[in-house]
Amino acid sequence: MNSPMSIPTMPSSADSSIGGILLASGKITPESAERVLRMQKELGIRFGEAAQRLGLITEADIQQVLARQFDYPYLQAGENKFSEELLAAYQPFSPQVEQLRAVRSQLMLRWFARGRKSLAVVQVNESDGASMFAANLAVVFSQLGENTLLVDANLRKPGLHAVFDQRPGPGLSDILAGRADVSAVTRIPSFVSLSLLSAGTLPPNPQELLGRAAFAALNAQLETNHDVTLYDVAPFALGADALAVAARAGGVLLIGRKDHTLLADINTVAEEIRHSGAEVVGAVMIDK
């Protein structure tokens, strides 16, 4: 009795096979997929290997597809218009991102494993780099499979919408002022589990706005909808905004810059945060 012949089928843009993902991402066309299928059948090799032999894709393309299949998406250089400093998206296997993952692991053990869901990322000085650190940290949390929300709570000089190539629109300030709701939260489609709540309209009274009782109710709602909520706030040196956000989140990750931020300043900020009722979960010195 003859055994049935296995015939490769044409991938569709809706499936999660290597062929389907390559087709959906525009790496191959339906016409070139036919060529790949013919080689796959003739040589008895995998779809991705056949496409690579035909010169249609690269090894980097294969690695990216595998990452998507395992819910660990990342981007290739030039893909999308995100900030190049978003290393967790573009260079996920670099030493810097390995260090980010180490920070993530510590936060999971020290904070989120205790049932907490919110964390404020606070920098001492304006140039300490906390906003980009928070953005990269949000990406690696989403790559872990955590439903992650990044909130731009810097109502003085916001910038996270630009990092993720989002147009300015209603955001945190508008919700706190009663002019918008949580529908202002935007999914970042390049990642499996990442959303952004931008700062919104720049208010004349950021500290008072963040101190409203409405913020506590909003934070509770965001925690219900997400596993991890990270707040980026204005530098501590610019005002007490960070204390208001810290009180709502309950926990703070302090950010300083190597050879720039004074240890005495970090200790001062940590003490003020503790007096606000929040917990300093840890501190990170960024080497720039």
Side-chain angles (χ1 to χ4, degrees):
M1 179 181 295
N2 294 329
S3 60
M5 180 181 295
S6 177
I7 301 176
T9 58
M10 173 67 76
S12 78
S13 58
D15 68 41
S16 59
S17 66
I18 284 185
I21 295 174
L22 289 171
L23 196 62
S25 63
K27 297 293 184 182
I28 62 173
T29 65
E31 292 75 18
S32 59
E34 291 280 0
R35 295 168 55 203
V36 176
L37 288 170
R38 284 196 295 270
M39 176 176 281
Q40 180 186 12
K41 179 181 177 181
E42 291 170 1
L43 302 182
I45 58 179
R46 295 179 181 272
F47 187 94
E49 183 182 352
Q52 195 172 355
R53 286 195 185 190
L54 290 169
L56 299 172
I57 60 172
T58 65
E59 177 62 27
D61 293 324
I62 292 291
Q63 293 304 317
Q64 190 177 41
V65 168
L66 289 173
R68 290 188 180 278
Q69 285 187 319
F70 285 90
D71 290 337
Y72 192 77
Y74 64 92
L75 307 175
Q76 294 189 35
E79 186 177 357
N80 285 333
K81 296 180 180 179
F82 297 160
S83 169
E84 293 180 357
E85 294 184 67
L86 205 59
L87 298 183
Y90 290 110
Q91 301 177 40
F93 309 114
S94 63
Q96 297 97 319
V97 181
E98 287 293 343
Q99 293 173 356
L100 264 173
R101 283 193 280 269
V103 172
R104 179 191 67 189
S105 296
Q106 289 294 321
L107 292 175
M108 288 296 293
L109 292 171
R110 295 184 181 186
W111 188 246
F112 295 105
R114 293 161 49 189
R116 308 307 295 260
K117 287 192 169 186
S118 297
L119 184 72
V121 181
V122 177
Q123 63 184 352
V124 178
N125 302 305
E126 192 168 3
S127 59
D128 286 344
S131 293
M132 193 55 63
F133 184 89
N136 278 285
L137 188 61
V139 171
V140 296
F141 266 112
S142 73
Q143 290 170 335
L144 186 63
E146 299 293 315
N147 185 7
T148 305
L149 173 64
L150 178 61
V151 181
D152 194 340
N154 185 343
L155 303 186
R156 298 175 185 269
K157 192 178 179 181
L160 291 179
H161 64 282
V163 171
F164 290 96
D165 191 34
Q166 299 292 308
R167 293 181 179 179
L172 176 62
S173 65
D174 303 282
I175 297 176
L176 296 178
R179 299 165 52 194
D181 56 29
V182 292
S183 63
V185 172
T186 303
R187 295 279 295 185
I188 306 299
S190 297
F191 301 95
V192 174
S193 305
L194 181 61
S195 300
L196 172 69
L197 176 59
S198 63
T201 306
L202 289 185
N205 57 338
Q207 187 174 335
E208 290 77 13
L209 199 60
L210 292 169
R212 289 184 179 179
F215 194 2
L218 173 62
N219 181 67
Q221 186 175 5
L222 297 178
E223 287 188 343
T224 299
N225 297 335
H226 302 88
D227 301 318
V228 172
T229 298
L230 300 177
Y231 290 98
D232 175 45
V233 300
F236 196 87
L238 295 184
D241 299 16
L243 295 179
V245 178
R248 304 309 182 193
V252 170
L253 178 65
L254 281 177
I255 305 296
R257 185 155 61 93
K258 186 178 178 181
D259 300 327
H260 179 266
T261 309
L262 298 178
L263 182 59
D265 291 341
I266 293 177
N267 290 334
T268 298
V269 172
E271 190 63 25
E272 291 199 40
I273 287 172
R274 293 188 186 100
H275 284 159
S276 75
E279 180 178 340
V280 177
V281 182
V284 173
M285 296 297 286
I286 297 176
D287 188 2
K288 295 182 71 175

